Amino acid sequence: MQNLLHWRLLVAVADSGKITQAAAQCGMTQSGASQAIVQLESALNTPLLVRLPHSVALTQSGERIVSHARAMLAELQAIRHYALQANGAQSGKIRLASFPSAFSALLPPLLRKFRRLYPAIELIPLEGTDREVENWLALETADVGIVLNPAPERPCLPLGQDAWLAVAASHHPLARGRRAVDFAEWVKQPFVLATGGCDLNAQSLAQQAGLTLSDVRASVSDWQTAQTLVREGVGVALMPASTIAADAVGLCSLPLTVPIYRHFALVCSFAAAGALPVQTLLSYLHEQLPQPVSS
């Protein structure tokens, strides 16, 4: 009903008690302001002002309507203030670094809604090994990056975890019982070393446990290639659960007797930590991710 200038004029008239002064404040002529008040009274079908010899006064309806008009204009100002702040927080670029498996499995469901909510924030993917991600964060080539198993004291946003599974061809003797397997026994098998482009893999996990992969038949960085080789009977493997399709044909995935997990977390470079678009991303992810249950 009417336009904002009508409401600003009405509030200005209420404040000053004079149409001429209110017109000047709103950038209107006195006759234009008088006509606008008449239009507003006609649209509302109620008198708003009483004309006095040297001023005007609000009617009872006018007082109540002005009260609502003030609230409306205040809300409009709040909207404009928010939009001004949001323009900085909801636009820009974020260089997001990660290793391949996170880009293919972990990030798409998390970022699909983010891209819809914040279309003016451009996410620029940088794909590399986990070591490259760490280097890019240190050199501030990347603004944020997905890291594996961050140190407990490192500032980060935990994104989730993934269990390592023992993977064998369905016809492999150790797959018949469908039982959990001992890691120390598993690494003694002919092995397909799948790395996924990360330093954290069966080889490094074995070393951490004081073990050795004694018979590596093939070493590949691609999870799908590794699964093909396992299916063909070249060897067994150790892979993250998220990289193995639930309906994978010809493969058997077995848990370890003592579970091992890889933990994902989002880390900011030093310079990007305070950037408004990055803060927007962190706030969004914090809202989307399940919160830990207090004990």
Side-chain angles (χ1 to χ4, degrees):
M1 179 180 293
Q2 306 305 301
N3 58 45
L4 289 173
L5 185 57
H6 285 80
W7 300 113
R8 290 196 182 97
L9 175 64
L10 180 62
V11 170
V13 170
D15 290 339
S16 66
K18 297 181 181 296
I19 291 180
T20 302
Q21 185 175 336
Q25 292 176 7
C26 295
M28 303 172 67
T29 64
Q30 191 275 337
S31 61
S34 295
Q35 185 178 2
I37 292 296
V38 171
Q39 291 173 349
L40 192 55
E41 289 178 320
S42 176
L44 295 172
N45 195 30
T46 187
L48 302 175
L49 303 176
V50 176
R51 275 71 174 175
L52 303 175
H54 302 291
S55 63
V56 294
L58 293 172
T59 65
Q60 184 183 35
S61 295
E63 288 179 353
R64 294 189 176 183
I65 290 172
V66 164
S67 176
H68 288 292
R70 289 187 194 280
M72 177 181 65
L73 294 173
E75 286 297 323
L76 175 62
Q77 184 61 28
I79 290 170
R80 287 177 170 167
H81 179 70
Y82 168 79
L84 185 63
Q85 289 184 317
N87 186 51
Q90 298 181 9
S91 64
K93 297 181 179 180
I94 300 175
R95 296 187 298 269
L96 172 59
S98 183
F99 42 90
S101 61
F103 268 134
S104 62
L106 175 67
L107 291 175
L110 286 176
L111 298 181
R112 195 173 294 116
K113 184 179 177 182
F114 179 82
R115 288 190 170 96
R116 177 175 61 81
L117 291 176
Y118 306 102
I121 296 180
E122 182 183 1
L123 295 175
I124 302 173
L126 303 175
E127 186 173 298
T129 65
D130 53 341
R131 183 175 298 178
E132 286 175 327
V133 170
E134 293 284 10
N135 287 339
W136 293 337
L137 288 170
L139 296 172
E140 298 183 350
T141 303
D143 299 313
V144 294
I146 308 296
V147 301
L148 288 172
N149 294 1
E153 68 277 6
R154 189 176 188 183
C156 64
L157 176 66
L159 298 178
Q161 66 181 24
D162 207 7
W164 290 93
L165 298 178
V167 184
S170 299
H171 55 77
H172 194 282
L174 293 177
R176 293 171 185 166
R178 302 278 174 169
R179 302 188 189 92
V181 298
D182 181 72
F183 187 34
E185 293 300 318
W186 195 252
V187 298
K188 296 177 182 178
Q189 301 294 314
F191 222 88
V192 174
L193 178 58
T195 68
C198 297
D199 287 345
L200 190 63
N201 53 59
Q203 186 81 276
S204 59
L205 292 172
Q207 291 172 353
Q208 292 172 19
L211 305 170
T212 303
L213 296 180
S214 56
D215 187 8
V216 177
R217 300 293 176 89
S219 180
V220 296
S221 61
D222 179 70
W223 300 113
Q224 295 304 316
T225 301
Q227 291 175 35
T228 298
L229 293 175
V230 170
R231 188 182 294 111
E232 292 299 311
V234 175
V236 301
L238 191 73
M239 300 184 191
S242 63
T243 66
I244 308 167
D247 58 351
V249 177
L251 293 177
C252 178
S253 302
L254 305 169
L256 299 177
T257 52
V258 179
I260 303 175
Y261 297 94
R262 61 174 189 169
H263 299 270
F264 306 101
L266 189 73
V267 173
C268 301
S269 70
F270 180 79
L276 291 177
V278 171
Q279 288 299 312
T280 298
L281 175 63
L282 294 177
S283 297
Y284 164 81
L285 291 174
H286 183 74
E287 292 174 357
Q288 297 298 311
L289 295 168
Q291 300 303 307
V293 178
S294 301
S295 57

